[in-house]
């Protein structure tokens, strides 16, 4: 039984015939020893046919198809041309060795060519790969390396399916920046408070919020200029008229020292910088919320955008978080406490970053560990759905949140929660119903569009016929009008001729009368 080997190189497809199988007996060790020596390996394997790729794009398409286990039309025609034909009802007397088992099964289904993929075939292909440039005579030195490098770059680019909306790196950077902004805004706001308190120390007790303090200090500027005219402006900022009046009264009786105009300008510019940072922090938070709804909608719906983003950031990526078991996810962020407990043989921590979730704060002291374990389990499910699901939806996250709420009620009141299997089935059924309804709605819309299109076509046909009839009527009217005008013009001509004749007759009669009068004389 003869054996052929198919090799997919960066420059094209090649088929090799394997000789001496009876002597080798598919001995992998014998092939492995003969691979390094070309003279020995050349006796076992000989080139039968070679089909070069047309272009780099064609090579990429062929390699993508091979990696996915799909036989292209070019590969099929190449195999049918260069391999013995398989007769129906008879067992073929040859086999084809391949590196990809999926491709072999597809070739066998389509062409009935028997394929195999084992260690013996892989060793033969290893030898072919090592000495491939020696088998193809027309290849110049360096051509194979260049084609391999170009195909490797294009293949890796094609394989990395880059989705702009699913980039978790943006979330990681955003949550890091949010944390640093929080620290910086707090420290800068404290600096504004200390700096402006030399001038107006009573304002610290009246306005507690850092952002509002910066806005009020910038608005007041010099406390000696504070009057009751400033109360409406202060009310807009503080949102409370009583506080605004209190600020004005405190400014009148303040114990602070006076500052020079240059110092006040510096305080104002610094307060403006703090306000700008606070405004940017709000915009960044909105950006993070939108990115989390795109990247991990179920995790965000379950545990919140900030905690979900911190979990993704700590794990390194959404994929890494999805790979984590729930026990690891439970203590993410508490690694120091865990290793310290293991070292001192103390109690291990019950929760890490998920402690910032509202569920753990709502649970009683004895149930915090239980709810943390249950919440970590649901977070693990949500992250896996977000990572590996094709479509983005919050349906799973909302139902998982309901399950955590039910678990809290179970710990407090003893109400039995639903099973996870039933909840997941309910979500899937609802999603399928929504898809079916969407399809029905789209079908109805298309039908309506078609009906509208037909009606419009009919209206257009009717309008065209009406236009034609109107044009015919207009033509007939024009003909009638032209005929009438012709008749009128002919009548006028006749009348004018008759009038001329009468005038000539009158002329003759007058002449005759003149002659008669002359003769009488």
């Amino acid at each position: 039984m003869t054996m052929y080997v198919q090799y997919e190189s960066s420059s094209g497809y090649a088929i090799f015939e394997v000789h001496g199988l009876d002597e080798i007996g598919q001995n992998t060790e014998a092939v492995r020893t003969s691979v390094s020596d070309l003279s020995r390996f050349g006796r076992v394997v000989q080139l039968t046919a070679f089909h070069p790729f047309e272009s780099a794009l064609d090579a990429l398409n062929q390699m993508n198809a091979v990696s996915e286990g799909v036989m292209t039309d070019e590969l099929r025609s190449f195999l049918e041309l260069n391999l013995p034909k398989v007769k129906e009802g008879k067992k073929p007397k040859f086999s084809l060795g391949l590196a990809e088992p999926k491709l072999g099964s597809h070739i066998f289904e389509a062409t009935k060519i028997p394929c195999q993929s084992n260690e013996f075939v892989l060793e033969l292909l290893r030898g072919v790969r090592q000495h491939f440039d020696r088998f193809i005579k027309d290849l110049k030195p360096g051509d194979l390396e260049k084609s391999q490098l170009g195909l490797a770059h294009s293949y890796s680019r094609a394989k990395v399916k880059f989705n702009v909306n699913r980039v978790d790196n943006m979330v990681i950077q955003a949550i890091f920046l949010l944390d640093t902004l929080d620290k910086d805004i707090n420290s800068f706001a404290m600096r504004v408070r200390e700096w402006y308190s030399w001038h107006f120390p009573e304002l610290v007790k009246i306005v507690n919020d850092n952002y509002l303090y910066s806005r009020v200090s910038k608005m007041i500027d010099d406390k000696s200029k504070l009057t009751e005219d400033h109360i409406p402006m202060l009310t807009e900022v503080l949102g409370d008229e009583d506080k605004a009046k209190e600020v004005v009264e405190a400014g009148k009786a303040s114990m602070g020292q006076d500052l020079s105009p240059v110092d006040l300008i510096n305080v104002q510019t610094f307060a403006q910088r703090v306000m700008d940072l606070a405004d940017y922090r709000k915009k960044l938070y909105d950006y993070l919320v939108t990115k989390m709804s795109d990247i991990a909608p179920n995790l965000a719906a379950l545990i919140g955008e900030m905690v979900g983003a911190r979990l993704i950031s700590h794990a390194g990526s959404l994929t890494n978080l999805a790979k984590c078991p729930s026990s690891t996810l439970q203590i993410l962020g508490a690694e120091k406490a865990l290793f310290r407990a293991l070292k001192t043989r103390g109690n291990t921590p019950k929760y890490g970053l998920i402690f910032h979730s509202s569920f753990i704060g709502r649970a009683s002291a004895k149930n915090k560990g239980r709810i943390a374990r249950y919440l970590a389990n649901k977070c693990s499910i949500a992250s896996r759905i977000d990572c590996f699901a094709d479509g983005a939806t919050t349906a799973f996250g909302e139902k998982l949140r309901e399950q955590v709420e039910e678990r809290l009620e179970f710990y407090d009141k003893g109400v039995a929660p639903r099973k996870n299997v039933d909840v997941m089935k309910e979500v899937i059924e609802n999603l399928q119903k929504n898809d079916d309804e969407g399809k029905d709605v789209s079908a109805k819309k298309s039908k309506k569009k078609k009906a509208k299109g037909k009606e419009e076509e009919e209206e257009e046909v009717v309008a065209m016929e009406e236009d034609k009839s109107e044009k015919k009527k207009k033509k007939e009217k024009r003909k009638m009008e032209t005929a009438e005008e012709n008749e009128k013009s002919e009548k006028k001509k006749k009348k004018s001729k008759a009038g001329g004749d009468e005038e000539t007759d009158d002329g003759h009669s007058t002449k005759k009368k003149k002659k008669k009068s002359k003769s009488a004389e």
Side-chain angles (χ1 to χ4, degrees):
M1 185 176 183
T2 56
M3 182 179 180
Y4 295 92
V5 175
Q6 176 190 316
Y7 176 65
E8 304 91 9
S9 72
S10 58
S11 54
Y13 291 119
I15 293 177
F16 294 87
E17 187 178 356
V18 183
H19 297 280
L21 276 178
D22 298 331
E23 298 175 5
I24 299 171
Q26 292 198 0
N27 188 356
T28 309
E29 286 295 330
V31 176
R32 191 174 289 138
T33 53
S34 66
V35 160
S36 57
D37 189 6
L38 179 61
S39 59
R40 291 179 62 190
F41 188 73
R43 295 172 195 167
V44 178
V45 177
Q46 290 182 357
L47 179 67
T48 304
F50 178 68
H51 175 71
F53 296 133
E54 293 178 359
S55 62
L57 183 62
D58 183 33
L60 176 61
N61 294 331
Q62 296 293 330
M63 288 301 112
N64 281 329
V66 168
S67 65
E68 292 170 5
V70 179
M71 179 180 60
T72 59
D73 295 335
E74 289 183 12
L75 179 58
R76 180 170 185 166
S77 60
F78 176 62
L79 293 175
E80 288 175 349
L81 280 171
N82 297 290
L83 290 177
K85 293 183 179 179
V86 180
K87 296 179 181 179
E88 293 182 1
K90 291 187 178 181
K91 189 177 180 181
K93 296 181 181 180
F94 70 96
S95 65
L96 180 66
L98 293 162
E100 294 288 337
K102 288 183 181 179
L103 181 62
S105 61
H106 191 214
I107 290 172
F108 179 72
E109 288 174 5
T111 61
K112 302 299 179 184
I113 295 172
C115 301
Q116 59 175 324
S117 178
N118 47 36
E119 289 185 11
F120 178 70
V121 173
L122 293 175
E123 285 297 327
L124 287 172
L125 288 172
R126 188 169 69 86
V128 169
R129 190 182 303 110
Q130 187 174 347
H131 304 292
F132 185 70
D133 55 343
R134 306 283 182 88
F135 287 110
I136 309 299
K137 296 179 181 178
D138 296 334
L139 277 177
K140 296 178 182 178
D143 286 352
L144 190 62
E145 287 79 5
K146 289 178 182 177
S147 62
Q148 284 174 350
L149 185 63
L151 181 61
H153 282 297
S154 55
Y155 179 78
S156 58
R157 264 191 235 106
K159 275 295 174 187
V160 178
K161 294 177 181 177
F162 184 74
N163 188 356
V164 178
N165 296 323
R166 299 289 295 272
V167 184
D168 49 8
N169 186 40
M170 300 298 111
V171 169
I172 294 169
Q173 299 300 328
I175 194 66
F176 272 131
L177 187 55
L178 265 177
D179 292 337
T180 52
L181 274 176
D182 287 336
K183 292 176 184 176
D184 293 342
I185 289 169
N186 283 332
S187 59
F188 291 159
M190 289 302 297
R191 186 60 53 201
V192 171
R193 282 171 176 267
E194 288 183 17
W195 200 349
Y196 195 68
S197 292
W198 286 96
H199 180 62
F200 193 177
E202 291 83 7
L203 188 62
V204 176
K205 294 179 181 179
I206 300 168
V207 182
N208 296 319
D209 186 70
N210 292 332
Y211 180 70
L212 290 179
Y213 187 90
S214 300
R215 287 188 66 182
V216 170
S217 63
K218 187 177 184 300
M219 185 181 293
I220 293 171
D221 193 11
D222 192 355
K223 65 177 181 180
S224 60
K225 296 178 183 178
L226 261 179
T227 58
E228 292 182 357
D229 297 335
H230 290 81
I231 291 175
M233 298 167 64
L234 290 169
T235 306
E236 285 182 7
V237 174
L238 296 171
D240 189 359
E241 191 176 352
D242 296 334
K243 275 192 176 182
K245 290 179 180 178
E246 192 178 349
V247 168
V248 173
E249 289 174 2
K252 291 176 181 177
S254 177
M255 298 290 291
Q257 65 180 13
D258 293 333
L259 293 178
S260 65
V262 177
D263 296 334
L264 285 172
I265 288 168
N266 280 295
V267 173
Q268 276 192 325
T269 52
F270 188 55
Q272 184 63 46
R273 290 294 174 89
V274 174
M275 289 161 58
D276 293 340
L277 278 176
D279 291 334
Y280 175 65
R281 197 257 178 210
K282 289 178 184 176
K283 292 178 183 176
L284 187 64
Y285 176 74
D286 295 336
Y287 165 75
L288 179 65
V289 170
T290 53
K291 290 302 288 184
M292 281 296 291
S293 63
D294 291 335
I295 295 164
N298 293 297
L299 187 63
L302 171 63
I303 203 170
E305 288 84 4
M306 292 290 289
V307 182
R310 282 198 173 91
L311 286 172
I312 292 171
S313 173
H314 200 81
S317 67
L318 181 61
T319 309
N320 292 345
L321 185 66
K323 290 176 183 177
C324 288
S326 58
S327 57
T328 305
L329 195 147
Q330 182 182 348
I331 57 169
L332 270 180
E335 288 84 2
K336 287 184 180 179
L338 174 67
F339 292 121
R340 186 171 61 248
L342 292 173
K343 190 176 181 180
T344 58
R345 294 184 182 180
N347 293 328
T348 54
K350 296 176 183 177
Y351 28 69
L353 290 169
I354 60 171
F355 176 76
H356 298 287
S357 172
S358 60
F359 294 115
I360 294 172
R362 286 162 55 191
S364 59
K366 65 176 182 179
N367 294 324
K368 283 187 185 295
R370 291 181 183 179
I371 201 69
R373 187 164 58 250
Y374 190 79
L375 182 60
N377 181 17
K378 298 305 171 188
C379 287
S380 179
I381 293 170
S383 62
R384 287 167 190 174
I385 293 169
D386 289 330
C387 184
F388 301 111
D390 294 330
T393 176
T394 58
F396 291 98
E398 290 168 359
K399 289 293 180 182
L400 290 170
R401 188 178 182 86
E402 289 177 9
Q403 281 187 284
V404 181
E405 295 280 358
E406 290 174 4
R407 181 63 60 164
L408 277 172
E409 288 185 4
F410 172 68
Y411 289 145
D412 292 340
K413 301 174 184 177
V415 181
R418 292 175 292 173
K419 289 185 178 179
N420 190 45
V421 179
D422 300 333
V423 176
M424 292 296 111
K425 283 182 180 178
E426 184 184 345
V427 177
I428 292 166
E429 287 173 1
N430 291 334
L431 289 174
Q432 287 176 352
K433 284 180 183 177
N434 292 333
D435 291 339
D436 294 337
E437 288 175 1
K439 288 178 182 177
D440 294 337
V441 170
S442 61
K444 287 179 181 178
K445 285 182 179 179
S446 62
K447 286 180 181 178
K448 285 181 180 178
K449 285 181 181 178
K450 287 180 181 177
K452 284 182 180 178
K454 287 181 180 179
E455 289 177 0
E456 288 175 358
E457 287 177 0
E458 290 175 358
E459 289 175 358
E460 286 177 359
V461 171
V462 172
M464 290 285 286
E465 290 176 355
E466 289 178 354
D467 291 337
K468 286 180 181 178
S469 62
E470 286 178 0
K471 286 179 180 178
K472 286 181 180 178
K473 288 178 181 179
K474 286 179 180 179
K475 285 181 180 179
E476 289 175 357
K477 283 182 179 180
R478 285 174 185 173
K479 285 180 181 179
M480 293 286 289
E481 288 174 357
T482 51
E484 289 176 357
E485 287 176 359
N486 292 330
E487 288 177 1
K488 286 179 181 179
S489 61
E490 287 175 359
K491 286 179 181 179
K492 285 179 180 179
K493 286 178 182 178
K494 287 178 181 179
K495 286 179 180 179
S496 62
K497 285 179 181 179
D501 293 338
E502 287 176 358
E503 285 175 359
T504 52
D505 292 341
D506 293 337
H508 287 297
S509 59
T510 52
K511 285 178 180 179
K512 286 177 182 179
K513 285 177 180 179
K514 285 178 179 179
K515 286 178 180 179
K516 284 179 181 180
S517 59
K518 284 179 180 181
S519 61
E521 288 175 352

